[in-house]
Amino acid sequence: MKRPIGVIDSGVGGLTVAHEMMRQLPNETLIYLGDTLRCPYGSRSEQEIIQFTNEMVDFLLKKNIKMLVIACNTATAYTLENLRKTLPIPVLGVIKPGARAAIKMTVSNSIGVIGTEATIKSNAYEKALKNIKPEIEVQSLPCPLFVPMVESGILSGRKAEEIVRESLAPFIKQKNMDTLVLGCTHYPLLKETIQSVTGDDIKIISSSDETAREASAILEVHELLRADDDKTDHMFYTTGELDVFERITRELFKTTVHDIQKVNIHQINNSI
């Protein structure tokens, strides 16, 4: 089936998921939408998160997508179940795939989760982890500075390391924790810096790989996989400025992405 897969995120972080999907599903066409204008979602109210996510979904449904991937942990935590009930297409989030990957990796059964304030407040990862393995010990930590840092293009260097080190200070002292879940799709863009701060004894888990594998399995079950190998024309949309978005795509994809457009999907109001 030649219809595209829709991928949404609050900004550029979901590009890590899109990149892995492009690698694992080379025949599929993706349409990516990042709401960079209103990023980050992690400090937003639940009502705003739901409203903004629904506006992104409405935009992509007009593109005749065959599947929706919510490549944003915050949006997944607050909208996944309702979207699954209301949309006529398969919907996949990033929290459960990330939780499953962490369970596979941990030896000590002590897992750390870092994410936005809203994601950590939702306890979505702790619930997902304990549903799989009740004896798991979960420690959660909000890192509100990480998303703005990524959205401004600060991915490495002294400033990035200082912010990461200060943010993760409460976790560095945890002796039993052997696995750290990056509970925000922006965070893999900081993975090298995070790993240098935590040390090699901590296994860093990104949900991107597992999400792409689940997307492939869901498409196969629903008989939605694209059978031909014709050229795929991916499209990327952003609600904010193009410069940082273009810079992140170049760094992540190791090539220049030409099909990027700025779009207006929302009603701006002065209270937001």
Side-chain angles (χ1 to χ4, degrees):
M1 181 178 286
K2 290 189 176 182
R3 288 163 56 194
I5 300 169
V7 182
I8 60 172
D9 183 55
S10 61
V12 299
L15 290 168
T16 59
V17 177
H19 182 253
E20 188 59 31
M21 291 181 67
M22 290 162 64
R23 189 184 73 81
Q24 293 192 33
L25 295 163
N27 293 341
E28 301 293 340
T29 298
L30 301 188
I31 300 180
Y32 180 93
L33 173 59
D35 191 10
T36 50
L37 183 65
R38 298 181 294 193
C39 185
Y41 280 17
S43 57
R44 299 284 189 176
S45 68
E46 181 176 351
Q47 181 180 357
E48 286 177 320
I49 294 166
I50 293 170
Q51 176 195 331
F52 297 169
T53 303
N54 286 340
E55 287 171 357
M56 287 195 288
V57 172
D58 289 343
F59 177 85
L60 287 186
L61 288 176
K62 293 174 184 175
K63 304 293 183 182
N64 196 31
I65 58 173
K66 62 182 178 182
M67 179 182 187
L68 174 69
V69 178
I70 309 174
C72 172
N73 287 267
T74 301
T76 297
Y78 289 93
T79 69
L80 176 64
E81 294 309 317
N82 186 59
L83 288 173
R84 279 182 169 168
K85 292 175 184 176
T86 57
L87 294 185
I89 57 175
V91 182
L92 176 63
V94 288
I95 290 177
K96 289 183 179 179
R100 279 189 280 272
I103 294 290
K104 291 177 186 176
M105 292 299 293
T106 185
V107 174
S108 67
N109 284 335
S110 180
I111 295 175
V113 178
I114 56 174
T116 67
E117 293 168 296
T119 298
I120 298 303
K121 183 180 177 181
S122 74
N123 290 320
Y125 266 101
E126 183 168 358
K127 293 173 186 173
L129 287 162
K130 287 185 176 294
N131 278 343
I132 301 170
K133 199 171 185 180
E135 64 269 29
I136 284 287
E137 179 186 349
V138 183
Q139 302 172 70
S140 301
L141 179 70
C143 296
L145 298 180
F146 286 6
V147 172
M149 185 166 65
V150 170
E151 289 289 329
S152 62
I154 302 171
L155 307 180
S156 59
R158 181 180 296 178
K159 185 175 181 180
E161 185 171 338
E162 287 176 356
I163 294 172
V164 169
R165 189 173 298 279
E166 184 175 343
S167 297
L168 296 184
F171 269 3
I172 304 304
K173 302 172 184 177
Q174 302 298 328
K175 295 182 179 179
N176 292 331
M177 190 178 73
D178 68 351
T179 304
L180 179 64
V181 178
L182 305 183
C184 173
T185 49
H186 283 73
Y187 295 2
L189 292 164
L190 298 169
K191 184 176 180 179
E192 289 185 10
T193 303
I194 292 171
Q195 189 76 77
S196 71
V197 169
T198 61
D200 293 336
D201 290 340
I202 302 292
K203 294 180 282 290
I204 305 292
I205 301 296
S206 165
S207 60
S208 302
D209 294 359
E210 199 77 15
T211 300
R213 278 191 287 272
E214 288 207 19
S216 178
I218 290 170
L219 289 171
E220 185 172 6
V221 167
H222 289 271
E223 299 183 345
L224 294 173
L225 281 170
R226 183 173 173 177
D228 64 80
D229 57 358
D230 292 345
K231 184 176 181 293
T232 54
D233 296 312
H234 307 296
M235 279 298 307
F236 298 86
Y237 295 95
T238 176
T239 60
E241 298 305 317
L242 293 174
D243 54 350
V244 172
F245 195 93
E246 290 172 339
R247 182 151 38 104
I248 296 294
T249 56
R250 279 198 305 271
E251 182 157 339
L252 187 60
F253 299 154
K254 307 303 180 187
T255 185
T256 299
V257 177
H258 298 288
D259 295 324
I260 304 175
Q261 295 181 24
K262 181 177 178 179
V263 292
N264 181 5
I265 64 164
H266 47 268
Q267 291 135 9
I268 300 173
N269 94 49
N270 294 329
S271 67
I272 295 176

